[in-house]
Every structure is written in C-alpha cells, then in structure tokens.
Amino acid sequence: MNNKKKIPNATMKRLPLYYRFFKNSEKSGVDRVSSREISEALDIDSATIRRDFSYFGELGRKGYGYNVKSLLKFFMEHIQGNQKRNVAIIGAGNLGSALLNYKFSNINDRMNVVAAFDNNSSIVGTTINDTMVHHSDEIEKMAKDHGIDVAILTLPAEVSQEMAERLEAAGIKGILNFTPMRLDVSDGIYVHNIDLSVELQALFFYMKHI
Amino acid sequence: MNNKKKIPNATMKRLPLYYRFFKNSEKSGVDRVSSREISEALDIDSATIRRDFSYFGELGRKGYGYNVKSLLKFFMEHIQGNQKRNVAIIGAGNLGSALLNYKFSNINDRMNVVAAFDNNSSIVGTTINDTMVHHSDEIEKMAKDHGIDVAILTLPAEVSQEMAERLEAAGIKGILNFTPMRLDVSDGIYVHNIDLSVELQALFFYMKHI
C-alpha cells in the first residue's frame, strides 16, 4: 500500500465490519477466508469486497482467499497506527463503572482511560479501577489539558444530545454512544452507537427465526 | 410472504434497526416513510432496503413508501409473535447491575427479567431493581421452573464457555454474550455477541480516517 489517505470513505465505513469479522474468524481458529464467505457474512457483494481489499495491498490470492492474521496485522499497523487514544467515560453509574473495570482485550495498549465524569456528588472524587471520577463541569478543561479525543457516553438518554454538543465543542473526535438516542453532531465527529434494546430485540427476532 | 425461513440472515440482522426506526416514526405520528428516508436515517443504501422489504410482503408502493403501522404489525405478528421472553442475567457485577437497571425501551413489554445469578455470596440474596440475585447453582432449577429461554452473559470470560454449556443443557435458546469469548454451542441455540473491545476498535479505526 502506497498511501492510506487514498482509501475511499465508503471503504473506511466498511472497515469496522471487516475488522469485526476477521477478529471473530481469528478467535474461532480460522486461518483464511474467501471474499464469498465475507460477502455472505456481511451482505456486501464480492466485487465490492475485492475492490475494498485491493486498497489494503497484496493480502489476498485468487482461489486462496485472505489470510486472517495478515489482514488483522495490516489493520493494526497501517490504519490504527501507534497513536494512543485518550478516552473519557461520561457517566459513572453501573454501566460506566462496568466499562472502567472492563478488560479491553487487544486494545488496552492503544487507549488510555484518562477520567470518568459524573454529576452525582456521592461518586465525584472517588476512583474506580484507578480512574478518578470528576464532576462533569470539568469536562472541557480536562479534555484540553489531557488531549481527550474519545468519549464513551453512559449517561441518561435525555441529557445525551446536550452532552454530545459540549463534547464536540471540547474537541472530542469520536463518541461510543450507549444511550438509545441518535446524536445530532457535525461531520467532524464520529459516533458509533451500541443500543442495548436493539441488540436484545435482534436476539429475540433471531430466536423466532431459527 | 410465504415462508419466514426464506428471509436471509443479513436482512434479519437489519430488522432490529428497521424496527426501531419505524417504532420511532410511529411515536412521532408519521404514517409512512420512503426508502430514501430510511436510507438516510440508518445509512443503508436504498436498493438494500427495497430488497430487504420485499421479503416482508406487499407493504410498500412506488412513490408512496412504506406504511409505518403495517410494517410494525408485520414485524410483531410474523417475527416477534406474541411470545414473551423470560430472561436471566448471568453475572450480577457492574455490567449485570447496569442491565438490571437499564430501561429497555420498546421491548419491555415482550420480556420478563426473571432472575439474576452470581457466585458472590455478598450479593446473592439481594435484589437489584426488584430482581433477585440467586446463586448460580440454582440456574438449572430456575430455568425449568420459570421457563427461562434467554440468558444475558455478563460474567468473566474464562468461565463463559462452561456456563454456555450449562445454559444449553438447561434449555436456554438464546444468549446475549457480553464476554469477549466466542461460545461453542449447538445450532439449536443462538448467540448474539456484543464485544466491547471490537466496538471501541471500530471507533478508533474510523477516527483515524476522518
């Protein structure tokens, strides 16, 4: 690969899907996968997959497929890079606490959980798994002082839009959103949604189907 | 629709997203939506949406769009059914507690959180949001007595495979797996994985690009 800047936007949007699929393949002990297998698993047509993967270099061979470990290595080296992400957890209730205690396997060395924030005076000033819970009023100052660029939103849905706007103004570039709200932010900030109701409904639908 | 078995896997995966979108449209008093509107809201291309919806029967008309109430009725009658799911939360630590307190919007009326289970004697016997935490030894008996068919796994990764086998033997048909382990179970049980490391990695990849 000559220049990662050349990877088109549409390809980048599919990258997390590819990454998730390859990571799961690796965990299942699979060495290589064909574009047809990727196509069936992700419902992306094979031609699109081959075009996307051509940007990643010579990682596939006709009649062989893609080597799982090589692809994952490429993703880490050329896309993630060595950049460390400074992460803040916004909302230190049960879910926020769970994330502070969570063992983020594989990516621990590429992230730094700088701080948690909450409004609840009974937890502000405490530490959870060595991370201090600060009052939400300090978000802007802390974001600037510590170069926080990622926020994980685990606060009540009704205050999430207001918080997203504050985070954007504070220079945050990525939000992992656990609230059921769809956040209205500008193009310069990327929101990745995990909606637990939708995930559980997905399971119920599937169970009906099998 | 002749046979729900024919709905492709990839379409099934998008169903919860469609469901949520239509549910929100209904709440906002919207009668019908076009595939373009769905496309923009969910970031799924229009052709894929039209193909997906063709499996649901004659619910859309060219130049008219999709009738919100008909679609929701179809989803509930043909996919969810009237069946209520009896859910157990396996592991009542921070994440389990968060889920016990979580407001599962839209699907609360189709699920019944029967019990939580843990081995930790300091929380066994307590209640979290009106749900009792039982000792894990009681899983098999409780599953039988209360018809539990869904388990949400929020326990340490290293004991998750053993637990999955116990759950399968106890008649559980669906698992929402929050552990990073890929569970080895038979075809009769469906596992839906939420791997928080993978989700966060997906966010980091995307941020590298924008």
Side-chain angles (χ1 to χ4, degrees):
Chain A
M1 197 187 69
N2 301 319
N3 185 349
K4 66 174 171 289
K5 296 288 179 200
K6 284 182 181 169
I7 299 178
N9 211 34
T11 301
M12 281 306 296
K13 277 194 182 177
R14 287 185 286 269
L15 205 68
L17 301 174
Y18 294 142
Y19 174 74
R20 195 183 287 120
F21 177 73
F22 276 82
K23 200 73 200 167
N24 287 337
S25 299
E26 185 192 40
K27 281 184 185 174
S28 308
V30 174
D31 290 331
R32 62 192 195 210
V33 291
S34 65
S35 52
R36 192 180 53 77
E37 287 167 321
I38 307 171
S39 174
E40 284 172 5
L42 303 178
D43 195 35
I44 301 169
D45 67 90
S46 297
T48 300
I49 289 167
R50 283 191 295 271
R51 195 176 63 242
D52 284 351
F53 280 44
S54 70
Y55 296 107
F56 308 153
E58 298 299 320
L59 299 168
R61 264 203 332 263
K62 205 171 168 68
Y64 174 91
Y66 299 95
N67 182 290
V68 171
K69 283 199 196 312
S70 303
L71 240 316
L72 286 172
K73 190 160 169 278
F74 171 84
F75 284 1
M76 298 320 296
E77 286 180 3
H78 293 265
I79 297 168
Q80 167 79 21
N82 293 319
Q83 190 174 358
K84 237 180 162 162
R85 293 296 183 182
N86 292 317
V87 177
I89 294 183
I90 316 292
N94 280 311
L95 185 53
S97 299
L99 292 170
L100 285 163
N101 285 301
Y102 190 82
K103 293 184 194 79
F104 283 96
S105 52
N106 300 327
I107 57 170
N108 259 326
D109 56 333
R110 286 180 293 286
M111 64 186 276
N112 180 25
V113 180
V114 175
F117 296 94
D118 208 292
N119 285 334
N120 184 340
S121 59
S122 70
I123 52 173
V124 169
T126 65
T127 59
I128 302 172
N129 196 17
D130 295 332
T131 302
M132 172 80 82
V133 182
H134 297 258
H135 193 279
S136 304
D137 289 347
E138 294 180 49
I139 287 175
E140 285 80 1
K141 185 179 177 344
M142 291 281 293
K144 195 180 165 209
D145 291 352
H146 297 269
I148 297 172
D149 49 4
V150 175
I152 302 182
L153 277 198
T154 54
L155 37 63
E158 53 272 26
V159 293
S160 58
Q161 176 59 36
E162 186 194 341
M163 180 57 76
E165 290 167 19
R166 275 182 64 189
L167 293 169
E168 185 173 355
I172 269 71
K173 295 298 177 203
I175 295 177
L176 188 61
N177 176 30
F178 279 95
T179 83
M181 292 291 288
R182 287 298 160 270
L183 305 172
D184 186 13
V185 292
S186 75
D187 288 345
I189 181 167
Y190 178 67
V191 179
H192 189 66
N193 297 300
I194 302 182
D195 188 325
L196 300 176
S197 290
V198 171
E199 300 298 336
L200 197 54
Q201 182 69 74
L203 176 68
F204 293 172
F205 280 153
Y206 252 102
M207 289 173 67
K208 189 74 183 178
H209 187 62
I210 57 176
Chain B
M1 196 187 65
N2 300 319
N3 186 349
K4 66 173 170 291
K5 296 285 180 201
K6 284 181 184 171
I7 299 179
N9 223 27
T11 301
M12 284 302 296
K13 283 190 182 171
R14 285 185 288 269
L15 208 69
L17 301 174
Y18 294 142
Y19 172 75
R20 164 168 278 283
F21 177 74
F22 277 83
K23 198 76 197 169
N24 287 338
S25 299
E26 185 192 39
K27 280 183 186 170
S28 310
V30 174
D31 290 331
R32 64 193 193 211
V33 290
S34 66
S35 53
R36 192 180 52 77
E37 287 168 320
I38 307 170
S39 175
E40 284 172 5
L42 303 178
D43 197 30
I44 300 169
D45 69 89
S46 298
T48 300
I49 289 167
R50 283 191 295 270
R51 194 177 66 242
D52 283 350
F53 280 45
S54 70
Y55 295 107
F56 308 152
E58 297 300 318
L59 299 168
R61 259 199 340 258
K62 206 171 167 66
Y64 174 92
Y66 299 96
N67 184 290
V68 172
K69 283 197 196 311
S70 302
L71 241 316
L72 284 172
K73 191 160 168 276
F74 171 84
F75 283 1
M76 297 322 296
E77 285 180 3
H78 292 265
I79 298 169
Q80 168 81 19
N82 293 321
Q83 191 173 358
K84 229 177 168 166
R85 295 295 183 183
N86 293 318
V87 177
I89 294 183
I90 317 291
N94 280 312
L95 184 54
S97 298
L99 292 170
L100 285 164
N101 284 302
Y102 191 83
K103 293 184 194 80
F104 282 97
S105 52
N106 299 330
I107 58 170
N108 261 326
D109 56 332
R110 286 180 296 288
M111 64 185 276
N112 181 25
V113 179
V114 175
F117 295 94
D118 209 291
N119 285 333
N120 184 341
S121 58
S122 70
I123 52 172
V124 168
T126 65
T127 60
I128 302 172
N129 196 18
D130 294 333
T131 303
M132 171 80 83
V133 181
H134 297 258
H135 194 280
S136 304
D137 290 347
E138 294 180 51
I139 287 176
E140 285 80 1
K141 185 180 176 347
M142 291 281 294
K144 195 181 166 206
D145 292 353
H146 297 269
I148 297 172
D149 48 5
V150 175
I152 303 182
L153 276 198
T154 55
L155 38 62
E158 53 272 23
V159 294
S160 58
Q161 177 59 36
E162 186 195 339
M163 181 56 77
E165 290 167 20
R166 276 182 64 188
L167 292 169
E168 185 172 356
I172 269 71
K173 295 297 176 206
I175 294 177
L176 188 61
N177 176 29
F178 278 94
T179 83
M181 292 292 287
R182 286 300 158 272
L183 305 172
D184 185 14
V185 292
S186 75
D187 287 346
I189 180 168
Y190 178 68
V191 179
H192 188 65
N193 297 300
I194 303 183
D195 187 325
L196 300 176
S197 291
V198 171
E199 300 298 336
L200 197 53
Q201 182 68 74
L203 176 67
F204 291 171
F205 278 155
Y206 206 86
M207 288 174 67
K208 185 76 183 175
H209 184 62
I210 57 176

